[in-house]
Amino acid sequence: MFERKRQKLSYESSTKAGRHLVATSKWLGLLVISGACQFATAATWCVSPGGACGNASIGAAIKQASPGDTIQVQPGIYNESVVINMPLSLIGAGGGSTIINAIGQSTGIFIDGTAKAPATGISNVIVSGLSVQNANFEGILVGNGSEITISNNQVVNNTRGLNVAAGACPNQPAFETNEG
C-alpha cells in the first residue's frame, strides 16, 4: 500500500505540483492519525503496596498487561520474583524506594524469551528505577532477548544461594549448572 501511494504522489508531483502539496498534506495527516492511534492503545498499569492504585503485586499487573504496556511501580517493598515474557516497560519510582525483595526466589526479575528459542525471543523490554535484592542467584536475568534496556536500577545482595566455601550452588536450576 505504501509503495502504491508513494508512486502516485511521485507521479502527481511531476505533472501537477499544486495537487502534490495537497495530496502530501493529506497523506501526512493520515500517517499522523495512524501513528497516534497505534500509541494510544498502550496502557499504563499501576502497582502499589496494598493495591491502592490497582494492583498489589508486579506479577498481577504483568498478567493483565499487553505487549507495549507500561507498568508503573510505586515506592514500597514487593516480596516476589517477577517474570516478564512480553515487550513492556517496568518502571519504578527509584532504586532506593521501589524494592523487589526476592528472598527465597531464584531470580528477582527474569526477562524470559526462552519459549521462542532458538529464534530470537523477547525484545523491547525496559526495566528502570528498581532495587532488586536478595535473590538466590541472579538479581536480573535475561534469557534469549534483544533490545533489552536495564537502567537506573540497584541490584544488590543477590547470589544468596551460593556456597562459596563448598564450591556448590544448592537448588540452582539445571540450566545454570550446564553452562560452558
Short mmCIF file of all heavy atoms in Angstrom, two decimals, residues 127-173:
data_model
loop_
_atom_site.label_atom_id
_atom_site.label_comp_id
_atom_site.label_asym_id
_atom_site.label_seq_id
_atom_site.Cartn_x
_atom_site.Cartn_y
_atom_site.Cartn_z
N VAL A 127 13.50 -2.00 31.90
CA VAL A 127 13.41 -2.14 33.35
C VAL A 127 14.23 -1.02 33.96
O VAL A 127 15.43 -0.92 33.71
CB VAL A 127 13.94 -3.52 33.82
CG1 VAL A 127 13.93 -3.61 35.35
CG2 VAL A 127 13.13 -4.65 33.21
N SER A 128 13.58 -0.16 34.74
CA SER A 128 14.27 1.02 35.26
C SER A 128 13.68 1.45 36.60
O SER A 128 12.47 1.29 36.85
CB SER A 128 14.14 2.16 34.25
OG SER A 128 14.84 3.29 34.68
N GLY A 129 14.53 2.01 37.46
CA GLY A 129 14.07 2.63 38.69
C GLY A 129 13.74 1.67 39.81
O GLY A 129 12.94 2.01 40.69
N LEU A 130 14.36 0.49 39.82
CA LEU A 130 14.06 -0.53 40.83
C LEU A 130 15.30 -0.91 41.62
O LEU A 130 16.42 -0.80 41.12
CB LEU A 130 13.49 -1.78 40.16
CG LEU A 130 12.22 -1.60 39.33
CD1 LEU A 130 11.98 -2.81 38.45
CD2 LEU A 130 11.03 -1.36 40.24
N SER A 131 15.08 -1.41 42.81
CA SER A 131 16.13 -2.08 43.57
C SER A 131 15.74 -3.55 43.62
O SER A 131 14.61 -3.87 44.02
CB SER A 131 16.22 -1.51 44.99
OG SER A 131 17.20 -2.22 45.73
N VAL A 132 16.63 -4.42 43.15
CA VAL A 132 16.35 -5.85 43.11
C VAL A 132 17.33 -6.51 44.07
O VAL A 132 18.55 -6.40 43.88
CB VAL A 132 16.50 -6.42 41.69
CG1 VAL A 132 16.12 -7.88 41.66
CG2 VAL A 132 15.65 -5.62 40.70
N GLN A 133 16.81 -7.19 45.07
CA GLN A 133 17.70 -7.71 46.10
C GLN A 133 17.27 -9.07 46.65
O GLN A 133 16.11 -9.46 46.52
CB GLN A 133 17.81 -6.71 47.25
CG GLN A 133 16.50 -6.36 47.91
CD GLN A 133 16.62 -5.18 48.85
OE1 GLN A 133 17.41 -4.27 48.63
NE2 GLN A 133 15.85 -5.20 49.93
N ASN A 134 18.25 -9.76 47.21
CA ASN A 134 18.08 -10.99 47.99
C ASN A 134 17.68 -12.23 47.20
O ASN A 134 17.23 -13.21 47.79
CB ASN A 134 17.07 -10.77 49.14
CG ASN A 134 17.55 -9.71 50.09
OD1 ASN A 134 18.75 -9.60 50.38
ND2 ASN A 134 16.63 -8.88 50.58
N ALA A 135 17.84 -12.25 45.89
CA ALA A 135 17.55 -13.46 45.11
C ALA A 135 18.63 -14.50 45.38
O ALA A 135 19.77 -14.17 45.69
CB ALA A 135 17.50 -13.13 43.62
N ASN A 136 18.27 -15.75 45.24
CA ASN A 136 19.25 -16.82 45.47
C ASN A 136 20.35 -16.83 44.42
O ASN A 136 21.47 -17.22 44.71
CB ASN A 136 18.56 -18.19 45.48
CG ASN A 136 17.78 -18.42 46.76
OD1 ASN A 136 17.94 -17.69 47.73
ND2 ASN A 136 16.93 -19.42 46.76
N PHE A 137 20.04 -16.43 43.20
CA PHE A 137 21.03 -16.47 42.14
C PHE A 137 21.16 -15.11 41.45
O PHE A 137 21.92 -14.28 41.88
CB PHE A 137 20.73 -17.61 41.15
CG PHE A 137 20.63 -18.94 41.85
CD1 PHE A 137 19.42 -19.57 42.01
CD2 PHE A 137 21.76 -19.51 42.42
CE1 PHE A 137 19.33 -20.78 42.70
CE2 PHE A 137 21.69 -20.71 43.12
CZ PHE A 137 20.46 -21.35 43.26
N GLU A 138 20.40 -14.83 40.42
CA GLU A 138 20.54 -13.57 39.69
C GLU A 138 19.52 -12.55 40.16
O GLU A 138 18.35 -12.87 40.37
CB GLU A 138 20.34 -13.77 38.18
CG GLU A 138 21.36 -14.65 37.52
CD GLU A 138 20.99 -16.13 37.55
OE1 GLU A 138 19.88 -16.48 38.00
OE2 GLU A 138 21.82 -16.93 37.13
N GLY A 139 19.98 -11.31 40.26
CA GLY A 139 19.04 -10.23 40.55
C GLY A 139 18.16 -9.98 39.34
O GLY A 139 16.94 -9.94 39.44
N ILE A 140 18.79 -9.80 38.17
CA ILE A 140 18.07 -9.64 36.91
C ILE A 140 18.70 -10.59 35.90
O ILE A 140 19.91 -10.56 35.68
CB ILE A 140 18.13 -8.19 36.38
CG1 ILE A 140 17.53 -7.21 37.40
CG2 ILE A 140 17.40 -8.08 35.04
CD1 ILE A 140 17.66 -5.75 37.01
N LEU A 141 17.88 -11.43 35.29
CA LEU A 141 18.35 -12.41 34.32
C LEU A 141 17.58 -12.22 33.02
O LEU A 141 16.35 -12.11 33.02
CB LEU A 141 18.10 -13.83 34.85
CG LEU A 141 18.37 -15.00 33.91
CD1 LEU A 141 19.85 -15.07 33.53
CD2 LEU A 141 17.91 -16.31 34.54
N VAL A 142 18.31 -12.16 31.90
CA VAL A 142 17.70 -12.08 30.57
C VAL A 142 17.98 -13.40 29.87
O VAL A 142 19.14 -13.78 29.70
CB VAL A 142 18.26 -10.90 29.74
CG1 VAL A 142 17.62 -10.87 28.36
CG2 VAL A 142 18.04 -9.58 30.48
N GLY A 143 16.95 -14.07 29.44
CA GLY A 143 17.08 -15.32 28.70
C GLY A 143 16.54 -15.17 27.29
O GLY A 143 15.35 -14.94 27.11
N ASN A 144 17.43 -15.25 26.29
CA ASN A 144 17.07 -15.18 24.87
C ASN A 144 16.33 -13.88 24.55
O ASN A 144 15.17 -13.89 24.18
CB ASN A 144 16.24 -16.40 24.46
CG ASN A 144 16.11 -16.52 22.95
OD1 ASN A 144 16.97 -16.05 22.21
ND2 ASN A 144 15.06 -17.16 22.50
N GLY A 145 17.03 -12.78 24.71
CA GLY A 145 16.42 -11.48 24.44
C GLY A 145 17.33 -10.56 23.65
O GLY A 145 18.54 -10.77 23.56
N SER A 146 16.73 -9.55 23.06
CA SER A 146 17.47 -8.50 22.36
C SER A 146 16.73 -7.19 22.58
O SER A 146 15.54 -7.19 22.89
CB SER A 146 17.59 -8.81 20.87
OG SER A 146 16.31 -8.83 20.27
N GLU A 147 17.43 -6.09 22.40
CA GLU A 147 16.85 -4.76 22.61
C GLU A 147 16.20 -4.65 23.99
O GLU A 147 15.07 -4.20 24.14
CB GLU A 147 15.87 -4.42 21.49
CG GLU A 147 16.55 -4.38 20.12
CD GLU A 147 15.60 -4.04 19.00
OE1 GLU A 147 14.73 -3.19 19.21
OE2 GLU A 147 15.74 -4.64 17.92
N ILE A 148 16.95 -5.08 25.00
CA ILE A 148 16.51 -5.02 26.39
C ILE A 148 17.27 -3.86 27.03
O ILE A 148 18.49 -3.79 26.95
CB ILE A 148 16.84 -6.32 27.15
CG1 ILE A 148 16.34 -7.56 26.40
CG2 ILE A 148 16.34 -6.26 28.58
CD1 ILE A 148 14.85 -7.68 26.26
N THR A 149 16.54 -2.95 27.69
CA THR A 149 17.17 -1.82 28.36
C THR A 149 17.00 -1.98 29.86
O THR A 149 15.87 -2.01 30.36
CB THR A 149 16.54 -0.48 27.90
OG1 THR A 149 16.68 -0.37 26.50
CG2 THR A 149 17.21 0.69 28.60
N ILE A 150 18.11 -2.10 30.56
CA ILE A 150 18.12 -2.20 32.03
C ILE A 150 18.93 -1.01 32.51
O ILE A 150 20.14 -0.97 32.30
CB ILE A 150 18.73 -3.53 32.49
CG1 ILE A 150 17.90 -4.70 31.92
CG2 ILE A 150 18.82 -3.59 34.00
CD1 ILE A 150 18.52 -6.06 32.13
N SER A 151 18.27 -0.04 33.13
CA SER A 151 18.97 1.17 33.53
C SER A 151 18.44 1.72 34.85
O SER A 151 17.29 1.48 35.21
CB SER A 151 18.83 2.24 32.44
OG SER A 151 17.49 2.64 32.31
N ASN A 152 19.31 2.45 35.53
CA ASN A 152 18.94 3.14 36.77
C ASN A 152 18.33 2.21 37.82
O ASN A 152 17.34 2.54 38.46
CB ASN A 152 17.98 4.31 36.47
CG ASN A 152 18.61 5.30 35.53
OD1 ASN A 152 19.77 5.67 35.68
ND2 ASN A 152 17.86 5.73 34.53
N ASN A 153 18.92 1.03 37.95
CA ASN A 153 18.49 0.05 38.94
C ASN A 153 19.61 -0.18 39.94
O ASN A 153 20.78 0.04 39.63
CB ASN A 153 18.15 -1.29 38.28
CG ASN A 153 17.00 -1.17 37.31
OD1 ASN A 153 15.87 -0.93 37.70
ND2 ASN A 153 17.29 -1.34 36.03
N GLN A 154 19.26 -0.66 41.12
CA GLN A 154 20.23 -1.14 42.09
C GLN A 154 20.00 -2.64 42.22
O GLN A 154 18.89 -3.07 42.55
CB GLN A 154 20.03 -0.47 43.45
CG GLN A 154 20.28 1.02 43.43
CD GLN A 154 19.96 1.66 44.79
OE1 GLN A 154 19.54 1.00 45.73
NE2 GLN A 154 20.17 2.95 44.87
N VAL A 155 21.03 -3.42 41.94
CA VAL A 155 20.93 -4.88 42.02
C VAL A 155 21.95 -5.31 43.07
O VAL A 155 23.15 -5.30 42.83
CB VAL A 155 21.22 -5.53 40.65
CG1 VAL A 155 21.04 -7.04 40.73
CG2 VAL A 155 20.30 -4.93 39.58
N VAL A 156 21.44 -5.65 44.27
CA VAL A 156 22.33 -5.88 45.43
C VAL A 156 21.91 -7.11 46.22
O VAL A 156 20.76 -7.52 46.23
CB VAL A 156 22.34 -4.64 46.37
CG1 VAL A 156 22.94 -3.43 45.67
CG2 VAL A 156 20.96 -4.32 46.88
N ASN A 157 22.91 -7.69 46.90
CA ASN A 157 22.71 -8.81 47.82
C ASN A 157 22.03 -10.02 47.18
O ASN A 157 21.22 -10.70 47.81
CB ASN A 157 21.92 -8.37 49.06
CG ASN A 157 22.68 -7.35 49.87
OD1 ASN A 157 23.90 -7.36 49.93
ND2 ASN A 157 21.94 -6.42 50.47
N ASN A 158 22.34 -10.28 45.92
CA ASN A 158 21.82 -11.47 45.27
C ASN A 158 22.88 -12.57 45.37
O ASN A 158 23.87 -12.39 46.03
CB ASN A 158 21.44 -11.13 43.82
CG ASN A 158 20.30 -10.13 43.80
OD1 ASN A 158 19.17 -10.46 44.11
ND2 ASN A 158 20.59 -8.89 43.46
N THR A 159 22.68 -13.67 44.75
CA THR A 159 23.53 -14.87 44.84
C THR A 159 23.56 -15.42 46.26
O THR A 159 24.55 -15.98 46.71
CB THR A 159 24.98 -14.63 44.32
OG1 THR A 159 25.66 -13.72 45.17
CG2 THR A 159 24.99 -14.15 42.90
N ARG A 160 22.47 -15.33 46.98
CA ARG A 160 22.38 -15.83 48.35
C ARG A 160 22.42 -17.36 48.39
O ARG A 160 22.72 -17.94 49.42
CB ARG A 160 21.11 -15.32 49.01
CG ARG A 160 21.09 -13.80 49.14
CD ARG A 160 19.79 -13.26 49.66
NE ARG A 160 19.58 -13.32 51.09
CZ ARG A 160 20.26 -12.65 52.00
NH1 ARG A 160 21.25 -11.88 51.64
NH2 ARG A 160 19.97 -12.75 53.27
N GLY A 161 22.13 -18.02 47.27
CA GLY A 161 22.13 -19.47 47.23
C GLY A 161 23.50 -20.07 46.97
O GLY A 161 23.65 -21.29 46.95
N LEU A 162 24.52 -19.24 46.79
CA LEU A 162 25.86 -19.75 46.52
C LEU A 162 26.57 -20.10 47.82
O LEU A 162 26.52 -19.36 48.78
CB LEU A 162 26.68 -18.71 45.75
CG LEU A 162 26.14 -18.27 44.40
CD1 LEU A 162 27.04 -17.20 43.81
CD2 LEU A 162 26.00 -19.43 43.46
N ASN A 163 27.24 -21.25 47.82
CA ASN A 163 28.06 -21.64 48.96
C ASN A 163 29.50 -21.63 48.46
O ASN A 163 30.00 -22.64 47.94
CB ASN A 163 27.64 -23.02 49.47
CG ASN A 163 28.42 -23.42 50.70
OD1 ASN A 163 29.49 -22.89 50.98
ND2 ASN A 163 27.88 -24.39 51.43
N VAL A 164 30.16 -20.50 48.58
CA VAL A 164 31.50 -20.33 48.03
C VAL A 164 32.49 -21.29 48.68
O VAL A 164 33.32 -21.90 48.01
CB VAL A 164 31.96 -18.87 48.19
CG1 VAL A 164 33.37 -18.70 47.69
CG2 VAL A 164 31.01 -17.94 47.45
N ALA A 165 32.41 -21.49 50.00
CA ALA A 165 33.35 -22.36 50.72
C ALA A 165 33.27 -23.80 50.20
O ALA A 165 34.29 -24.48 50.07
CB ALA A 165 33.07 -22.31 52.22
N ALA A 166 32.06 -24.28 49.90
CA ALA A 166 31.89 -25.65 49.43
C ALA A 166 31.98 -25.75 47.91
O ALA A 166 31.99 -26.86 47.37
CB ALA A 166 30.55 -26.20 49.90
N GLY A 167 32.03 -24.61 47.23
CA GLY A 167 32.05 -24.64 45.76
C GLY A 167 30.77 -25.21 45.18
O GLY A 167 30.79 -25.89 44.16
N ALA A 168 29.65 -24.94 45.83
CA ALA A 168 28.38 -25.52 45.40
C ALA A 168 27.29 -24.46 45.32
O ALA A 168 27.38 -23.41 45.94
CB ALA A 168 27.95 -26.61 46.39
N CYS A 169 26.29 -24.81 44.54
CA CYS A 169 25.12 -23.94 44.39
C CYS A 169 23.88 -24.80 44.61
O CYS A 169 23.23 -25.24 43.67
CB CYS A 169 25.07 -23.32 43.01
SG CYS A 169 26.51 -22.37 42.57
N PRO A 170 23.54 -25.09 45.86
CA PRO A 170 22.37 -25.95 46.11
C PRO A 170 21.09 -25.32 45.56
O PRO A 170 20.92 -24.11 45.60
CB PRO A 170 22.32 -26.07 47.63
CG PRO A 170 23.16 -24.94 48.15
CD PRO A 170 24.14 -24.59 47.07
N ASN A 171 20.24 -26.16 45.02
CA ASN A 171 18.94 -25.76 44.47
C ASN A 171 19.03 -24.85 43.25
O ASN A 171 18.06 -24.20 42.89
CB ASN A 171 18.08 -25.09 45.55
CG ASN A 171 17.84 -26.00 46.71
OD1 ASN A 171 17.56 -27.18 46.53
ND2 ASN A 171 17.99 -25.48 47.92
N GLN A 172 20.18 -24.81 42.61
CA GLN A 172 20.32 -23.99 41.41
C GLN A 172 19.66 -24.71 40.24
O GLN A 172 19.79 -25.92 40.09
CB GLN A 172 21.80 -23.74 41.09
CG GLN A 172 21.99 -22.74 39.98
CD GLN A 172 23.45 -22.34 39.83
OE1 GLN A 172 24.34 -23.09 40.18
NE2 GLN A 172 23.68 -21.17 39.29
N PRO A 173 18.91 -23.98 39.40
CA PRO A 173 18.26 -24.62 38.25
C PRO A 173 19.27 -25.33 37.34
O PRO A 173 20.41 -24.89 37.19
CB PRO A 173 17.62 -23.44 37.52
CG PRO A 173 17.52 -22.33 38.52
CD PRO A 173 18.67 -22.56 39.47
#
